[in-house]
Amino acid sequence: MKEDIDKKSVDLCALYGEPEAVILANGDYPTHPIPSQILANAPYVVCCDGGADTYIAQGHVPNIIIGDGDSLSEENRRKYSHILHHISDQETNDQTKAVNFLMEQGKKNIVIVGATGKREDHTLGNISLLIDYMRAGANVRTFTDYCVFIPCRHTHTFSSQPGKQVSIINFGAHGLRGEGLVYPLSDFTNWWQGTLNECTGTEFTVHAEGEYLVVINY
Amino acid sequence: MKEDIDKKSVDLCALYGEPEAVILANGDYPTHPIPSQILANAPYVVCCDGGADTYIAQGHVPNIIIGDGDSLSEENRRKYSHILHHISDQETNDQTKAVNFLMEQGKKNIVIVGATGKREDHTLGNISLLIDYMRAGANVRTFTDYCVFIPCRHTHTFSSQPGKQVSIINFGAHGLRGEGLVYPLSDFTNWWQGTLNECTGTEFTVHAEGEYLVVINY
């Protein structure tokens, strides 16, 4: 079982290579073995504010904590003040501050975990921000307890397995066409239209001009 | 406390009047008092497949169960076969089948609960489908454990309270402009841009031509 998960995790990471840094966002703390293992193996960990509490409680120390500390426990705010990086910017959320911080350090291969669950508007925001991070030059993807979100521009081919559940969320791309998927793709105008597709073989291709999110369920 | 919740629930329901039916979808079973109370007070309950198991386990009996029964326990599939309504249509999910079923009965004032949580692609699908249900003539809104999602077309005014967290997710509307909100609205092209706004008074207005989702956090 552990080996299977290791292989799955490696396969999924291989999409963009091993991350230089992992961001633990402030949604539900990861419980699935894939995001958990990515976090455990991370060479550099940025926690978004309150996300640090659970991470620290599990015996880890993040490299840095981004945020204004208002959702961090008082004890951790005091104890880890030396790694608490306060960025005051009302226009961006903590996840974006963390991505910007890493990009400024030249770390472009980034994985985000803990970005979903809890408030749905936060989930929608965190997921859709991947498109902006891609535009800024980041190789970024979000691993949740169910799937990986990958922001894409133009045509891409993905390793997969037969029967794997795949969704394509269109962000204005044209000429959408799939290969190796059960249901045809088109220039979707609503999110649900590209959901619940399925891979037929060991890889699938999305042909497109423009931006979209690929969601691969574990 | 109970009175406060009652009042909040009534306020939010008052947006579109009391529902004629409540759909319990197949995401996380509601735990927040607002969706829980809406479900408890529902005049007619449609459960989506496996969602029925928890509902039944809590001592209730749905009016109808929609789905192919594959995520329903064997015991409930047998025991409630007389109210299990199988609709075979690969093109729609169980939530949509439930909405279509109610619309065919002339029930247009619909509340959906239990539509989020678990797989994020299901959450995205279920939320975005509200736009399609509105187009089909339904007065529909989704109550989660955190917020209510309301599909809108053109200008709308909402009762609210100062400090209430509000998000506007654009589905192609133009001329977006807010009144009674902290941050200005514009013709957002990405979901996150309209998130995390805040109400300044006892109501707010979204001026727009076209379709969008309003998210009001409790």
Side-chain angles (χ1 to χ4, degrees):
Chain A
M1 180 62 180
K2 171 116 182 24
E3 263 176 35
D4 276 1
I5 289 160
D6 280 354
K7 189 173 175 310
K8 268 189 169 180
S9 173
V10 167
D11 279 356
L12 288 165
C13 274
L15 289 169
Y16 282 81
E18 286 294 315
E20 293 166 274
V22 172
I23 295 169
L24 174 61
N26 209 352
D28 280 340
Y29 197 84
T31 58
H32 188 280
I34 290 180
S36 301
Q37 195 186 314
I38 289 171
L39 188 58
N41 295 341
Y44 190 92
V45 173
V46 183
C47 287
C48 293
D49 222 31
D53 279 336
T54 315
Y55 188 66
I56 291 165
Q58 298 201 352
H60 311 291
V61 178
N63 292 86
I64 199 145
I65 303 171
I66 299 262
D68 48 19
D70 61 353
S71 64
L72 201 62
S73 74
E74 204 182 309
E75 187 193 339
N76 284 333
R77 198 161 56 234
R78 218 176 25 238
K79 194 168 165 193
Y80 294 97
S81 63
H82 59 293
I83 53 165
L84 181 57
H85 195 78
H86 179 77
I87 304 169
S88 58
D89 179 355
Q90 288 288 321
E91 300 298 306
T92 60
N93 68 7
D94 289 340
Q95 179 184 281
T96 298
K97 286 172 189 161
V99 169
N100 291 344
F101 175 85
L102 289 170
M103 295 284 282
E104 281 161 19
Q105 294 192 354
K107 293 188 171 74
K108 295 187 172 188
N109 295 306
I110 301 167
V111 163
I112 301 170
V113 299
T116 64
K118 296 197 181 125
R119 272 177 56 175
E120 289 88 358
D121 52 352
H122 286 179
T123 290
L124 291 177
N126 284 341
I127 288 171
S128 68
L129 279 160
L130 292 174
I131 296 286
D132 286 42
Y133 306 154
M134 173 182 67
R135 286 182 192 164
N139 267 341
V140 62
R141 55 273 190 215
T142 291
F143 286 83
T144 77
D145 278 346
Y146 301 93
C147 64
V148 54
F149 282 89
I150 307 161
C152 300
R153 184 184 292 119
H154 307 331
T155 297
H156 276 279
T157 297
F158 301 87
S159 295
S160 187
Q161 285 119 40
K164 197 149 280 252
Q165 297 273 300
V166 170
S167 293
I168 316 291
I169 315 288
N170 191 12
F171 279 76
H174 294 283
L176 275 165
R177 191 168 56 78
E179 247 183 275
L181 294 171
V182 171
Y183 303 105
L185 308 184
S186 61
D187 293 356
F188 303 129
T189 55
N190 196 342
W191 315 343
W192 67 266
Q193 295 166 325
T195 61
L196 312 191
N197 215 321
E198 199 180 306
C199 187
T200 56
T202 55
E203 64 174 38
F204 68 91
T205 299
V206 179
H207 297 273
E209 285 292 314
E211 297 167 338
Y212 55 96
L213 281 176
V214 166
V215 189
I216 307 176
N217 286 280
Y218 303 143
Chain B
M1 179 63 181
K2 170 118 184 18
E3 262 176 35
D4 277 1
I5 288 159
D6 279 356
K7 187 171 176 313
K8 268 190 169 179
S9 172
V10 167
D11 279 355
L12 287 167
C13 274
L15 288 170
Y16 282 80
E18 286 294 316
E20 294 165 274
V22 173
I23 295 169
L24 174 62
N26 210 350
D28 280 341
Y29 198 84
T31 58
H32 188 280
I34 290 181
S36 300
Q37 196 186 314
I38 289 171
L39 188 58
N41 295 341
Y44 190 92
V45 173
V46 183
C47 287
C48 293
D49 222 32
D53 280 335
T54 315
Y55 188 67
I56 291 165
Q58 299 201 352
H60 310 290
V61 178
N63 292 86
I64 200 146
I65 303 170
I66 299 264
D68 48 19
D70 60 353
S71 64
L72 201 62
S73 74
E74 204 182 308
E75 188 192 338
N76 284 332
R77 198 162 57 234
R78 219 174 26 236
K79 195 168 165 192
Y80 295 97
S81 62
H82 58 294
I83 53 166
L84 181 57
H85 196 78
H86 179 76
I87 303 169
S88 58
D89 178 356
Q90 288 289 319
E91 300 298 307
T92 61
N93 69 7
D94 288 341
Q95 179 183 282
T96 298
K97 285 172 190 162
V99 170
N100 291 344
F101 176 85
L102 290 170
M103 295 284 281
E104 281 161 18
Q105 294 192 354
K107 294 188 171 72
K108 293 187 173 190
N109 295 306
I110 300 167
V111 163
I112 301 170
V113 299
T116 63
K118 296 197 180 126
R119 271 177 57 174
E120 290 88 359
D121 53 351
H122 287 179
T123 290
L124 292 177
N126 284 341
I127 288 171
S128 67
L129 279 161
L130 291 174
I131 296 286
D132 286 42
Y133 306 155
M134 173 181 67
R135 286 183 192 164
N139 267 340
V140 62
R141 57 275 190 211
T142 291
F143 286 83
T144 77
D145 278 346
Y146 301 93
C147 65
V148 54
F149 282 89
I150 307 162
C152 301
R153 185 185 292 117
H154 308 332
T155 297
H156 276 278
T157 296
F158 301 87
S159 295
S160 187
Q161 285 119 40
K164 198 150 280 257
Q165 298 272 299
V166 169
S167 295
I168 316 291
I169 315 287
N170 192 12
F171 279 77
H174 295 281
L176 275 164
R177 191 168 55 79
E179 246 183 276
L181 294 171
V182 171
Y183 303 105
L185 308 184
S186 61
D187 293 357
F188 304 129
T189 54
N190 196 343
W191 314 344
W192 67 266
Q193 295 166 325
T195 61
L196 312 191
N197 214 322
E198 200 179 306
C199 188
T200 55
T202 55
E203 64 174 38
F204 68 91
T205 299
V206 179
H207 297 272
E209 285 291 316
E211 297 168 336
Y212 55 96
L213 281 176
V214 166
V215 189
I216 306 176
N217 285 281
Y218 303 144

